[in-house]
Amino acid sequence: MTVIILAYLGGVLLVGLVGGAGVYHALKFGYPGDKTRLAVVLYLTVAAVVVIASLIALGSTDLQEVA
Amino acid sequence: MSVEYFPGQKPDEQIKAIIRPHWLNLLGPILVTLLAAALPIAIIVAGNALEGPTVEGTGRAIVIALLGIYYLGLATFFLLRWLSVYLDVGVITNQRVVDVDQRSLFNRNIAELDSKMIQDISADKSGLLQTVFDFGDVVIQTAGERPNFTLEGAPHPEQVVDLIQRSVGERSDEENQSSTDTAEAMQEAAKEMKEAAETLKEQAPSEPEQAPPAQSTESGTSPDEPADLPRDYQK
């Protein structure tokens, strides 16, 4: 289980690096009053929900395989 | 503090409009994202409905982990696609047209066109979507050999064309007015100088009477003339 969670977090980190680059780009080149900040907030919210839901689901998984 | 919409923006430059592509330019990525998001759910629902093999234990954990990374990647994909469209900006100022082309992440091209170089402007709408939802390309033909300037996917392209034409016209009027003002100022200055010259001429004293020829004396000066004044002194 630990291996699976570590692998999962590694994948999240890789995708998160790309997403982080996108967030940085949006904040750097967005103009005041436009929708870039809103988009960043929405993305971070969705990402947080996905990660937390996945970790909860992983944590509640019973690893004892059914015979 | 004024906002800098593009590099090299001048302090006295007036921003007339900022044009972003119509949201329907994102239709493809929106559909792909929705389909991709629904696909795993559809597979799971179909599997349950068809009473297919269930995944338990370690397999279930792996599927959950993969789904988590999958949906996170999908959200990131949509964010990047949205940015590549939303950060495509056309800026119309009183002096030029600037096209900020966001090609991909960290790949950005900025082109500008002085309004004096604009020869012709046209709106180009092609296809059902563009016609129904009123968006399309604004094509600006330039003077000389420079390639045409295009603002892609702009909403209400005819209005954009009209705005650019008015901006070009206003700049032309301002320059003509400036030239006229300069010419008038020069005429005023010339007139004042002429008046000043005439005034000076009127105020200049009349020429003195011709002095009688000097009588030569032993010292070389006339008897009425002070000795220390030059011979040809005139008041």
Side-chain angles (χ1 to χ4, degrees), chain A residues 1 3-4 8 14 16-17 19 21 27 35-36 38-40 42 45-46 51 56-57 60 65-66:
Chain A
M1 187 61 174
V3 174
I4 294 174
Y8 170 71
L14 280 174
L17 282 173
L27 295 176
K35 293 177 184 159
T36 48
L38 176 64
V40 164
L42 281 175
T45 303
V46 168
V51 170
I56 291 173
S60 63
E65 295 193 12
V66 177

Side-chain angles (χ1 to χ4, degrees), chain B residues 112-196:
Chain B
E112 62 179 69
L113 177 64
D114 195 293
S115 56
K116 293 179 191 172
M117 301 294 290
I118 293 175
Q119 293 273 303
D120 188 35
I121 316 163
S122 60
D124 180 21
K125 287 194 284 191
S126 61
L128 177 66
L129 275 180
Q130 290 190 351
T131 306
V132 170
F133 292 97
D134 192 20
F135 69 99
D137 298 345
V138 175
V139 182
I140 303 172
Q141 292 183 0
T142 61
E145 296 180 351
R146 190 169 173 170
N148 288 346
F149 212 74
T150 305
L151 301 177
E152 295 176 351
H156 314 298
E158 288 91 355
Q159 293 179 18
V160 175
V161 168
D162 185 49
L163 180 66
I164 297 173
Q165 283 175 337
R166 275 191 278 119
S167 178
V168 171
E170 283 171 8
R171 187 178 185 193
S172 179
D173 289 344
E174 280 175 12
E175 288 182 351
N176 287 341
Q177 183 64 36
S178 176
S179 301
T180 306
D181 289 345
T182 305
E184 285 179 357
M186 287 175 70
Q187 283 180 357
E188 282 288 327
K191 190 177 172 183
E192 284 175 6
M193 284 174 67
K194 189 176 173 184
E195 287 174 359

Side-chain angles (χ1 to χ4, degrees), chain A residues 46-57:
Chain A
V46 168
V49 167
V50 166
V51 170
I52 291 171
S54 300
L55 287 173
I56 291 173

